[in-house]
Amino acid sequence: MMDSPLTITSLLRHGAQVYGDSEVRTFEGEGCRSATYRQVADRCERLAAALTRLGVGAGDRVATFGWNTQEHLEAYLAVPSMGAVLHTLNIRLFPEQLVYIANHAGDKVVLVDASLVPLFAKIRAQLTTVEHIVVIGDGDASTLGEVLRYDALLAAEKPGFAWPDLDERTAAAMCYTSGTTGHPKGVVYSHRSNVLHSYGVNSASAFGLTEADRLLPIVPMFHANAWGLPYAGFMAGVDFIMPGRFLQPEPMCKLIRSERPTVSGGVPTVWTDVMRHVEAHGGDLSSFRLIVCGGSAVPRALIERFQERAGVRLVQAWGMTETSPLAAMARAPRNTAPADEMNWRERTGRIAAGVELRLCDDAGTVLPWDGQSVGEIEVRGPWITASYYKDPAPEKFHDGWLRTGDVGTVCDKGFIRITDRAKDVIKSGGEWIPSVELENAIMGHPEVLEAAVIGVPDTRWQERPLACVVRRDGSSVGPDELRAFLTDKVAHWWLPERWSFIEQVPRTSVGKFDKKVLRARFGTGELVYVGPRSP
Ligand code: ADP
């Protein structure tokens, strides 16, 4: 067979040529502005020419600091295709983390969305490698000193940039982990890994995107490679519906009603908020054929609510920044009886073709796929990272496999059930209590909106679970009722004695439950709870 390189350039060319009339629509609060793929491809060529003129060469990092917009998609396509490396900065990180990440990556140019200028101004002075700042959109940017304007740069160039021939193993893009459990680490995707991942995303067992789809990527383009959706979508010719900065449930529901997306992806907290809004104020979710939900455990109750209230398939997926990220999706196996479907769909996911998986115990021994043995999940494959950028982290790898830090079981059909993250595991009297499973069981109660469980010190058992619960509006459900509800659902020694009723579970920069914050609040005595005092 011919040995053609798998590059983002070829994906860009294909989309622009074959689906030239497909649209990229960006929400602006009331309506959407729109550009065709043909226009986007033309602008990609101008962007590459402008960046070249600014001195960006092969391997240089071009960072973005923005929302999901047409311009962000242009950067996703143009920067790798010119041989440079796209680095998506997470706008929601603390300034110190952002400074660390941008300097560690050595970003040369940063494309900043005009609405984020005040945020970026907080870190500007500490960025040691940045030579140019390009502002996307209008608005005052005087706090940043000298800046260039995106549209003016593009207008000054001509289309027809000569894309270089690239080795498929060239770095295309990089993304830092969101640091839910530690210091952010850089993952570098190659052209090859991103193209292969796009084929994976586009398989019928995964998203199966086609030109008939209207894709609403809610997962931010600065998080986990935006789940590969910019590339998979462009390759398939979807109409993109970019939400811009309008991520709150109200404008989101308005956007969904008017733009009628067929496919979307986002973390559970986003969909919990959307469903809560629809239940309170009405809404129309009928355009969706598929909502993919992942990034943290998806409560069964949420999957059921979408199915029952809106007739929408919400499918759980699992992955990490390190895995590009698609690694598993929870579609029920063939011949599943309708009554049994949810028992499959509540699992974390079925391993995707292209990703190899194994389960290991603490000693590194490989465990069977029997649905019973509990161990750490390890993965390998062409879109799994083999290292971190300038950060050896040998503890994250094991004989050529990536240690995910996720603990759980695998059954003989390749369905994973993640019961915990290694760092969140609760060890009570020598027995493990899987916090994710316990949370899901608590969230099964109709009056519970969210639940997060952390381990706290205990005189008798060393560690016991403390359940932090967000009740639905108007509910006063308490510990006794919740314990009674859990009795036939979880092992008796899992039943928490300690309960805290809170307004909202603190969230990380990408919308996951932030247990680090809960533990800190517990440590300072801020977290009010009922139940035994800890030593
Ligand atoms: P961070 O590690 O900083 O949170 P990522 O966004 O890369 O950054 O998160 C990957 C992690 O998210 C996984 O290792 C896993 O713990 C969690 N995760 C992702 N999807 C799921 C899921 N469906 N169920 C449970 N956990 C999930």
Side-chain angles (χ1 to χ4, degrees), residues 175-185 187 189 223-224 227 267-268 293-298 315-323 325 328 330 346-349 396 403-407 417-422 424 436 440 508-510 512-513 516:
C175 188
Y176 282 68
T177 61
S178 61
T180 306
T181 55
H183 208 47
K185 287 183 161 36
V187 172
Y189 308 107
H223 180 217
W227 296 4
V267 293
C293 188
S296 51
V298 182
V315 177
Q316 170 152 211
W318 169 73
M320 316 166 69
T321 305
E322 290 87 333
T323 66
E346 70 167 2
R347 298 181 192 209
T348 307
K396 300 284 276 178
R403 298 181 59 183
T404 65
D406 287 329
V407 173
R417 203 190 267 278
I418 292 181
T419 51
D420 229 323
R421 289 188 104 169
D424 292 333
V436 171
N440 277 338
T508 68
S509 64
V510 292
K512 304 186 188 197
F513 289 174
K516 271 194 299 195

Side-chain angles (χ1 to χ4, degrees), residues 285-368:
L285 303 175
S286 63
S287 60
F288 285 115
R289 71 167 175 86
L290 171 71
I291 290 178
V292 180
C293 188
S296 51
V298 182
R300 176 178 176 136
L302 186 67
I303 305 174
E304 286 174 342
R305 271 190 129 68
F306 267 82
Q307 196 70 57
E308 285 157 16
R309 303 274 167 120
V312 172
R313 273 188 101 68
L314 187 129
V315 177
Q316 170 152 211
W318 169 73
M320 316 166 69
T321 305
E322 290 87 333
T323 66
S324 293
L326 181 76
M329 256 176 89
R331 291 178 182 277
R334 67 173 170 200
N335 300 334
T336 300
D340 204 23
E341 236 202 65
M342 278 299 160
N343 297 330
W344 291 100
R345 290 179 54 198
E346 70 167 2
R347 298 181 192 209
T348 307
R350 193 177 206 180
I351 196 73
V355 179
E356 279 182 87
L357 176 143
R358 70 180 188 183
L359 208 57
C360 288
D361 68 10
D362 285 348
T365 311
V366 178
L367 301 170

Side-chain angles (χ1 to χ4, degrees), residues 47-48 50-51 54 56 61-67 69-79 82 86-89 91 107-114 116-117 120 130 132-137 144 148-151 153-154:
L47 174 58
L51 290 171
L54 293 179
V56 173
R61 268 75 66 208
V62 175
T64 53
F65 196 73
W67 310 103
T69 61
Q70 176 194 325
E71 290 77 7
H72 213 155
L73 179 68
E74 288 164 2
Y76 255 78
L77 295 166
V79 173
M82 67 184 285
L86 174 84
H87 174 206
T88 51
L89 287 165
I91 61 171
D107 297 333
K108 192 165 182 176
V109 175
V110 191
L111 311 179
V112 181
D113 192 281
L116 296 167
V117 163
F120 192 72
V130 172
H132 300 284
I133 295 171
V134 180
V135 175
I136 300 169
L144 296 182
L148 299 158
R149 295 286 177 167
Y150 188 87
D151 278 334
L153 281 182
L154 266 57

